[in-house]
C-alpha cells in the first residue's frame, strides 16, 4: 500500500505540531512532513493538517494572524482545488479566519480554558474524514481550548444543517446531546464542521491525543484512518 | 555619594557594604552598588541557607548534575536525561497574581531548556489563605489563570501538583513551580563563557524597565504598602518564549555555541557574571547594543531589568552568524553585545564610557555567608498539646464534611484550566497519586509528584521535613515508580528571626535524613525566605518534588478501584494519631497536636513492598493515606474508580474511632487485589515483614464501614462524589 504524505504546518506558536506528526508518522505509520509557514511550497502533500496551539500567540484573535501567513495562501488554493485539509483546534480557528469554513469561535461559555476528555457523536459518516466511523457512534477525545464556543448566524446554521456539514457534536457517553455535554457552549453542539465540498474539516477535539490506549483512548484514530483509506 | 540611607535602601548591611569596598578596592558607583545589591540578595546568594543546605545528600550513580546549575540532571537510561527544578514565585504572585504566576512558569521553563532539554511537564505547589475570604479567592483565580495562560500557550502540559489552604498564606500565598525536560545525555549545555574573544549574544525579547529590583523585593518582608511594588513584577509573553524554546533547541542541536544562560532574576547582571565566574573568565558588554523597548534607559536600569524571555549565549567565534540565522528564522533578535575577556572582570560600556568594572568572582562567589542565630519557637509547647475532644456523633456527616474541605476536595476545577494532555505523553490524568508521563520510543515512564504538609512542619519541623519526602516517595511507589531524584523549594519567613532560622535548620535536617534513608540525591532547589507580611510569617513550608521511573508503563497502577469483588488491603499499621490532621482543622478549627510520627525504615519497607507487588502484577490499585486519613483514602479509591464502585469494609483496631478513620498516621497504603492474586499478595507481605490487613471487598454503590461489627459509615457513593466534586466549583460559582 502506498503511503500517503501528510503535511503538518508549523506556525510560530503551534504546539501540537509534534503531537500530530507523531500520531501520523509513528502511530498511523504514514509518511509525514512538516510545512513551514513562511514558505510557499506544499511539497506535493496529499493532506494538509493545521495543528493546535497558539499561532502568533493568538494575541489578536485565535487563528487570525496565521490566516495571513504565506503558506496559508497556498493552502487556500489547495483547498479550493479539492485538496484535503484538516484543522484541529487552533487549526479549526485558522480555517474559520481563512473563510474556508463558515462561522467563528467565541470564548467558552464558562469563560475558562477547558482541558478534558469529551465525547463527540458522529453525525455524518459519509465524509472523507469520518467514513470509517458509524453515524451515532460516540468517540472519546480530549479538548484543550479557550475559544471553542462555535457561533454562526441563524441563516448560516440553517445552511450548514441543510448541507449535512456537521460531522461531530458534543454529546454524553451514551450519545445524548444536551447542555451539560456541550461544555464550551457551541451552537448546535458543533464539535466538527466540514465545508460544502467535503474536503476541509475543522474540529476542536484533538484526535492526535486520542490515538493510543496508553493515553486513555484511541478513538481519534478513526479520523486519520478514514483519510488514509480514502486517499489510498 | 553613597551614604547609610542608600545602603539601607539597597537592602545591604553596613558590613556588607564595607566588604564590597574592600573587595573592589574603591567605592562602587550606583550601578555597581545595584549589581551587588541584587547578586548579594538572599534570593540570589543563598547567604543564610548555604551552610545548612550542605547537609543534603547530592551524590548518586545517576546524578549528571547536582545543585548549583540552572537545574538538576539525572540519567534515566536509553541515552536520555531528566532535567528538572522547582522554584518559588511567591512575592510577585501576591502583588500581581496573574503575571506573578505566569512569569514563574516562564522562568522555570527557561531553567530547563537553557540546559538543552525540551520541557515536557509542569507541576505547581500552591498555598492560599482560606477561600472564605474573597481576596484569597481572587488571588487563587489569578494564579491559576496565570499558570494556565503561560503553560497552555507554550504547550507544556501542567500535569499535577498540590494545593493547601491555611490562614498563614492569606498575605503570603505560595506559588512553587516545577518543570522537567528531557535531553540527550551527551548534549547538555551549561552557563559557560569560555574562549577569549568569543562573542556574547543577547537573544529574545527587548529590555524594558520591568522587574527592576525583583530579586531584592523577594528578599525583604512585605508591609501594608506592598501593592505599591506592583511595577516590580514582570510581564510574561509565552508566545515569545515558545519561539525562544524552539530557536534555542535548534541552535543547540548544532555545534555552534559554547554556553548559554537565561536572564532570570537579576537579568543581564546575573547572566553575565555567572557565566564568566563559572569559567574563570571575564565579559565585556556594550549596553548601546542591547535591544531596548523603552527610550532613555540608564545603565542601571538595563543591568537590573528583569524583562522576561531573554537569554545570553556565548557563541563560537566563527559560528555566530549561524546562530543569528536560526534566531531570525524564529523572528527573534540575536545581537552581539560583547565578548569573553581575560582577567575575570565584568566591564560594561555605555555611550563610550565604562560604567561598570567589577571582579566577577566578588559578585558571584564572595558574598558573605551567615550562620544565623537560631532559637526554638515558644509556640511549640502550647500548640502540640491537645485538649480532650469529643468524638463525632454522626460519622457520615463528618466524612462528607472532610470530603468537601478545600484541601481534600477534588481539584478538577483547577486542573481542567491547564492543558494537561498536550505533547501526548500523559498516561495518568491529574488526580492520581503521581503524574505519569511515558517516554516516547521506550517502555518507560517518568512519575512526578510534589508534596509538603506545612502544618506538620509547623508543629514539628524535623518530622514535617521527613514526612514531605516520605509522602512524595510513597506517591511514586503507589503508581509503581522508584524515586531517582529530589528537588525542593523551601519557603520560610524572615531568616533574621532566630525562630524562623531554627525551623529552617530543622526542616532541612528532616529532609536530608529522609533523602539519605531512601537513598535519593537532591539535585537542586530553591529557598524562599522573607515570606512575612505585616509581621506574620508563614508556616515553615517545604515543598518536595520527586522524580521517579516506571520501568514498564503498561504496569503503572492508578488509585481507583477496578472491579467489584476485589479485596481491599491496608498496608501498614493504624495508630492513634490525631495531631495536625485535616480532621482537627475541619471539625474543631484546631491546628494543634503532635503530628504523625514517622519511622523511615518502616516507610521504606512499605514502599518497596508496594513496588514489588506492582511489578509482580499483584495489585489492581494503590493509593496512599494522607490528609483525611484511612477513610478518605478508601473513599477516594471509590470516587476515582471508573464505575464509582462502593466498598463494604470492617475495621478491627481498638482505638478512638475518629483517630482510626481520620488520623493521618504515616507509612500506610490502600491497595486492591483480585481474588486470584490476594493470597500471593499476602504471602509476599509476610515474607517482606509488612503488615497487610484485608479489610473487605469492593461492592455495590455505597461506602460502608464497620468498626467491630458496628456500622459507622454508610453513604451512597454518589453523595460522597457530589460533596467531593462540587466543593471547589461551588466556592467559585458566581452567585
Amino acid at each position: 500500500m502506498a503511503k500517503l504524505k501528510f503535511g503538518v504546518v508549523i506556525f510560530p506558536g503551534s504546539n501540537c505540531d509534534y503531537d500530530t506528526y507523531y500520531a501520523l508518522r509513528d502511530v498511523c505509520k504514514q509518511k509525514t512532513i512538516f510545512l513551514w509557514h513562511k514558505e510557499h511550497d506544499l511539497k506535493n502533500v496529499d493532506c494538509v493538517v493545521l495543528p493546535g496551539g497558539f499561532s502568533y500567540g493568538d494575541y489578536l484573535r485565535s487563528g487570525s494572524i496565521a490566516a495571513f501567513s504565506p503558506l496559508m495562501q497556498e493552502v487556500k488554493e489547495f483547498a479550493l482545488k479539492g485538496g484535503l485539509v484538516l484543522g484541529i483546534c487552533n487549526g479549526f480557528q485558522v480555517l474559520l479566519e481563512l473563510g474556508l469554513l463558515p462561522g467563528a469561535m467565541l470564548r467558552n461559555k464558562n469563560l475558562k480554558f477547558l482541558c478534558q476528555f469529551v465525547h463527540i457523536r458522529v453525525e455524518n459518516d459519509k465524509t472523507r474524514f469520518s467514513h470509517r466511523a458509524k453515524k451515532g457512534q460516540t468517540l472519546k477525545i480530549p479538548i484543550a481550548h479557550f475559544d471553542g464556543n462555535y457561533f454562526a448566524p441563524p441563516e448560516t446554521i440553517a445552511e450548514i444543517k441543510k448541507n449535512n456539514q456537521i460531522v461531530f457534536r458534543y454529546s454524553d457517553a451514551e450519545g445524548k446531546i444536551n447542555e451539560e455535554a456541550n461544555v464550551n457552549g457551541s451552537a448546535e453542539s458543533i464539535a466538527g464542521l466540514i465545508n460544502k465540498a467535503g474536503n476541509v474539516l475543522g474540529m476542536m477535539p484533538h484526535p492526535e491525543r486520542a490515538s493510543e490506549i496508553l493515553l486513555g483512548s484511541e478513538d481519534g484514530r478513526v479520523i486519520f484512518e478514514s483519510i488514509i483509506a480514502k486517499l489510498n | 555619594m553613597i551614604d547609610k540611607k542608600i545602603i539601607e535602601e539597597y537592602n545591604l548591611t553596613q558590613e556588607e557594604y564595607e566588604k564590597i569596598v574592600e573587595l573592589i578596592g574603591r567605592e562602587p558607583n550606583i550601578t555597581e552598588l545595584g549589581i551587588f545589591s541584587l547578586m548579594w540578595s538572599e534570593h540570589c546568594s543563598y547567604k543564610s541557607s548555604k551552610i545548612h543546605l550542605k547537609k543534603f545528600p547530592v551524590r548518586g550513580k545517576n546524578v549528571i548534575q547536582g545543585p548549583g546549575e540552572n537545574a538538576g540532571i539525572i540519567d534515566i537510561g536509553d541515552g536520555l536525561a531528566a532535567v528538572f527544578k522547582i522554584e518559588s514565585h511567591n512575592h510577585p504572585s501576591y502583588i500581581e497574581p496573574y503575571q506573578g504566576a505566569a512569569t514563574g512558569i516562564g522562568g522555570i521553563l527557561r531553567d530547563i531548556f537553557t540546559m538543552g532539554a525540551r520541557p515536557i511537564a509542569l507541576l505547581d505547589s500552591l498555598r492560599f489563605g482560606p477561600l472564605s475570604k474573597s481576596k484569597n479567592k481572587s488571588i487563587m483565580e489569578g494564579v491559576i489563570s496565570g499558570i494556565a495562560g503561560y503553560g497552555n500557550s507554550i504547550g507544556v502540559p501542567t500535569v499535577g501538583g498540590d494545593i493547601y489552604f491555611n490562614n498563614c498564606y492569606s498575605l503570603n500565598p505560595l506559588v512553587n513551580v516545577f518543570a522537567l525536560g528531557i535531553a540527550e545525555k551527551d548534549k547538555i549545555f551549561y552557563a559557560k563563557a569560555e574562549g577569549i574573544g568569543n562573542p556574547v549574544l543577547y537573544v529574545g525579547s527587548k529590555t524594558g524597565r520591568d522587574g527592576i529590583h525583583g530579586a531584592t523585593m523577594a528578599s525583604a518582608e512585605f508591609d501594608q504598602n506592598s501593592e505599591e511594588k506592583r511595577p516590580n513584577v514582570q510581564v510574561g509573553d509565552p508566545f515569545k518564549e515558545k519561539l525562544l524554546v524552539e530557536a534555542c533547541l535548534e541552535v543547540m542541536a548544532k555545534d555552534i555555541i559554547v554556553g548559554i544562560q537565561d536572564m532570570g532574576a537579576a537579568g543581564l547582571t546575573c547572566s553575565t557574571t555567572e557565566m564568566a565566574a563559572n569559567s574563570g573568565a571575564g565579559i565585556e558588554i556594550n549596553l548601546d547594543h542591547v535591544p531596548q523597548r523603552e527610550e532613555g534607559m540608564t545603565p542601571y536600569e538595563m543591568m537590573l531589568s528583569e524583562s522576561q524571555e531573554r537569554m545570553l549565549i556565548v557563541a563560537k567565534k566563527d559560528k555566530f552568524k549561524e546562530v543569528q540565522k536560526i534566531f531570525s528564522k524564529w523572528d527573534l533578535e540575536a545581537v552581539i553585545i560583547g565578548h569573553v575577556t581575560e582577567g575575570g572582570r565584568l566591564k560594561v560600556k555605555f555611550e563610550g564610557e565604562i560604567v561598570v568594572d567589577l571582579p566577577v568572582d566578588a559578585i558571584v562567589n564572595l558574598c558573605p555567608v551567615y550562620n544565623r542565630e537560631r532559637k526554638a519557637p515558644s509556640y511549640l509547647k502550647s500548640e502540640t498539646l491537645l485538649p480532650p475532644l469529643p468524638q463525632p456523633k454522626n460519622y457520615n456527616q463528618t466524612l462528607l464534611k472532610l470530603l468537601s474541605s478545600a484541601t481534600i476536595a477534588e481539584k478538577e476545577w483547577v486542573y481542567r484550566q491547564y492543558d494537561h494532555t498536550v505533547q501526548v505523553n500523559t498516561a495518568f490524568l491529574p488526580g492520581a497519586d503521581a503524574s505519569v508521563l511515558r517516554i516516547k520510543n521506550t517502555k518507560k515512564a517518568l512519575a512526578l509528584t510534589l508534596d509538603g504538609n506545612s502544618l506538620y512542619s509547623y508543629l514539628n519541623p524535623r518530622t514535617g521535613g521527613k514526612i514531605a519526602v516520605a509522602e512524595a516517595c510513597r506517591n511514586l511507589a503507589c503508581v509503581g515508580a522508584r524515586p531517582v531524584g529530589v528537588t525542593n523549594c523551601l519557603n520560610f519567613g524572615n531568616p533574621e528571626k532566630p525562630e524562623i532560622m531554627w525551623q529552617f535548620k530543622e526542616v532541612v535536617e528532616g529532609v536530608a535524613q529522609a533523602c539519605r534513608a531512601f537513598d535519593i540525591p537532591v539535585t537542586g532547589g530553591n529557598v524562599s525566605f522573607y515570606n512575612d507580611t505585616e509581621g506574620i510569617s508563614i508556616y515553615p513550608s517545604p515543598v518536595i518534588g520527586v522524580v521517579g521511573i516506571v520501568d514498564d508503563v503498561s504496569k503503572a497502577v492508578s488509585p481507583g478501584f477496578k472491579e467489584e469483588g476485589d479485596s481491599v488491603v491496608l498496608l501498614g499499621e493504624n495508630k492513634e494519631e490525631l495531631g495536625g490532621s485535616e480532621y482537627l482543622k475541619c471539625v474543631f478549627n484546631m491546628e494543634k497536636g503532635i503530628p504523625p510520627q514517622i519511622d523511615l525504615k518502616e516507610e521504606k519497607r512499605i514502599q518497596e513492598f508496594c513496588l514489588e507487588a506492582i511489578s509482580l502484577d499483584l495489585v489492581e490499585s494503590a493509593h496512599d493515606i494522607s490528609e483525611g486519613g484511612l477513610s478518605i483514602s478508601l473513599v477516594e479509591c471509590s470516587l476515582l474508580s471508573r464505575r464509582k464502585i462502593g466498598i463494604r469494609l470492617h475495621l478491627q483496631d481498638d482505638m478512638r474511632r475518629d483517630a482510626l478513620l481520620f488520623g493521618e498516621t504515616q507509612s500506610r497504603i490502600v491497595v486492591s487485589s483480585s481474588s486470584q492474586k490476594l493470597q500471593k499478595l499476602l504471602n509476599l507481605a509476610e515474607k517482606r515483614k509488612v503488615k497487610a490487613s484485608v479489610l473487605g471487598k469492593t461492592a455495590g454503590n455505597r461506602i460502608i464501614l464497620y468498626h467491630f461489627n458496628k456500622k459507622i459509615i454508610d453513604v451512597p457513593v454518589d453523595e460522597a462524589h457530589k460533596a467531593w466534586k462540587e466543593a471547589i466549583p461551588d466556592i467559585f460559582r458566581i452567585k
Side-chain angles (χ1 to χ4, degrees), chain B residues 148-272:
Chain B
Y150 208 102
N152 296 354
S153 174
I154 201 165
V156 179
T158 300
V159 292
D162 65 354
I163 308 185
Y164 285 88
F165 301 89
N166 193 291
N167 259 328
C168 70
Y169 304 117
S170 286
L171 298 173
N172 259 293
L174 303 186
V175 176
N176 290 185
V177 292
F178 169 101
L180 179 140
I182 290 191
E184 284 177 46
K185 196 169 103 177
D186 53 2
K187 281 197 185 144
I188 288 163
F189 285 80
Y190 295 96
K192 289 190 297 194
E194 285 170 2
I196 308 304
N198 274 336
V200 174
L201 278 86
Y202 169 115
V203 306
S205 293
K206 291 180 166 55
T207 295
R209 289 189 171 93
D210 50 340
I212 292 172
H213 286 165
T216 318
M217 173 182 83
S219 303
E221 287 192 32
F222 275 178
D223 55 28
Q224 287 165 333
N225 303 322
S226 298
E227 300 209 353
E228 286 172 14
K229 296 188 178 170
R230 190 161 300 183
N232 287 11
V233 180
Q234 316 87 321
V235 176
D237 179 353
F239 172 57
K240 258 292 158 49
E241 182 137 315
K242 170 69 174 161
L243 303 180
L244 207 49
V245 176
E246 299 304 334
C248 288
L249 292 179
E250 198 171 323
V251 161
M252 289 163 165
K254 298 187 170 162
D255 189 23
I256 54 181
I257 66 170
V258 174
I260 179 166
Q261 171 75 312
D262 79 296
M263 292 192 222
L268 260 177
T269 296
C270 185
S271 53
T272 48

Side-chain angles (χ1 to χ4, degrees), chain B residues 231-499:
Chain B
N232 287 11
V233 180
Q234 316 87 321
V235 176
D237 179 353
F239 172 57
K240 258 292 158 49
E241 182 137 315
K242 170 69 174 161
L243 303 180
L244 207 49
V245 176
E246 299 304 334
C248 288
L249 292 179
E250 198 171 323
V251 161
M252 289 163 165
K254 298 187 170 162
D255 189 23
I256 54 181
I257 66 170
V258 174
I260 179 166
Q261 171 75 312
D262 79 296
M263 292 192 222
L268 260 177
T269 296
C270 185
S271 53
T272 48
T273 52
E274 283 191 355
M275 286 183 93
N278 288 350
S279 308
I283 280 187
E284 187 175 316
I285 59 170
N286 188 337
L287 292 177
D288 300 333
H289 302 315
V290 169
Q292 293 160 49
R293 205 168 57 210
E294 297 174 56
E295 278 180 23
M297 289 182 70
T298 63
Y300 179 92
E301 289 169 328
M302 276 190 261
M303 288 307 288
L304 271 59
S305 162
E306 291 188 6
S307 290
Q308 298 289 291
E309 292 91 26
R310 302 179 301 162
M311 315 277 275
L312 205 66
I313 289 178
V314 173
K316 292 192 172 170
K317 212 176 289 178
D318 50 343
K319 305 279 188 190
F320 72 90
K321 285 208 169 122
E322 270 186 71
V323 176
Q324 287 176 319
K325 203 174 149 200
I326 290 169
F327 279 90
S328 139
K329 173 188 163 188
W330 290 98
D331 301 322
L332 291 170
E333 300 203 56
V335 185
I336 295 180
I337 59 166
H339 56 274
V340 180
T341 58
E342 265 178 312
R345 294 190 81 83
L346 171 69
K347 280 191 193 171
V348 179
K349 278 189 190 163
F350 176 70
E351 292 180 349
E353 275 177 48
I354 290 186
V355 289
V356 172
D357 185 355
L358 295 171
V360 291
D361 198 40
I363 304 171
V364 179
N365 297 321
L366 299 179
C367 172
V369 171
Y370 298 114
N371 185 0
R372 293 197 190 274
E373 194 190 336
R374 296 180 296 274
K375 195 177 117 201
S378 55
Y379 73 78
L380 285 169
K381 268 189 193 147
S382 55
E383 296 288 83
T384 45
L385 286 177
L386 279 184
L389 295 166
Q391 295 202 41
K393 292 201 175 62
N394 182 334
Y395 276 94
N396 287 344
Q397 275 176 15
T398 310
L399 180 79
L400 293 172
K401 186 166 185 181
L402 274 171
L403 280 173
S404 59
S405 86
T407 295
I408 290 172
E410 197 194 25
K411 306 296 187 299
E412 192 199 11
W413 182 89
V414 176
Y415 66 71
R416 81 172 183 167
Q417 297 184 48
Y418 304 145
D419 189 340
H420 49 263
T421 49
V422 66
Q423 294 201 20
V424 292
N425 296 321
T426 313
F428 283 6
L429 297 179
D433 286 53
S435 315
V436 176
L437 298 156
R438 63 101 173 259
I439 307 169
K440 287 189 189 103
N441 307 317
T442 73
K443 267 170 73 185
K444 286 184 200 156
L446 287 172
L448 315 171
T449 186
L450 298 181
D451 221 301
N453 179 317
S454 58
L455 180 53
Y456 299 166
S457 293
Y458 172 69
L459 296 170
N460 186 331
R462 189 174 298 208
T463 302
K466 286 184 202 170
I467 290 180
V469 177
E471 205 177 315
C473 292
R474 203 185 312 137
N475 289 336
L476 294 187
C478 286
V479 301
R482 56 195 159 81
V484 293
V486 173
T487 184
N488 60 80
C489 197
L490 304 171
N491 307 274
F492 287 77
N494 180 347
E496 294 160 46
K497 295 178 185 165
E499 290 83 1

Side-chain angles (χ1 to χ4, degrees), chain A residues 12-15 19 22 36 38 54 56-57 59 110 112-117 144 208-209 212 214-215, chain B residues 141 152-153 155 237-239 242-243 328-331 416-424 438 440 553:
Chain A
S14 291
N15 65 28
D19 301 358
Y22 183 82
W36 181 241
K38 283 183 190 171
F54 287 66
Y56 294 90
Y59 284 144
N110 72 344
K112 302 254 183 239
F113 190 94
L114 284 176
C115 177
Q116 62 187 96
F117 270 101
E208 80 280 11
R209 298 189 192 183
E212 295 168 86
L214 178 70
L215 304 177
Chain B
E141 279 205 285
N152 296 354
S153 174
D237 179 353
F239 172 57
K242 170 69 174 161
L243 303 180
S328 139
K329 173 188 163 188
W330 290 98
D331 301 322
R416 81 172 183 167
Q417 297 184 48
Y418 304 145
D419 189 340
H420 49 263
T421 49
V422 66
Q423 294 201 20
V424 292
R438 63 101 173 259
K440 287 189 189 103
V553 64

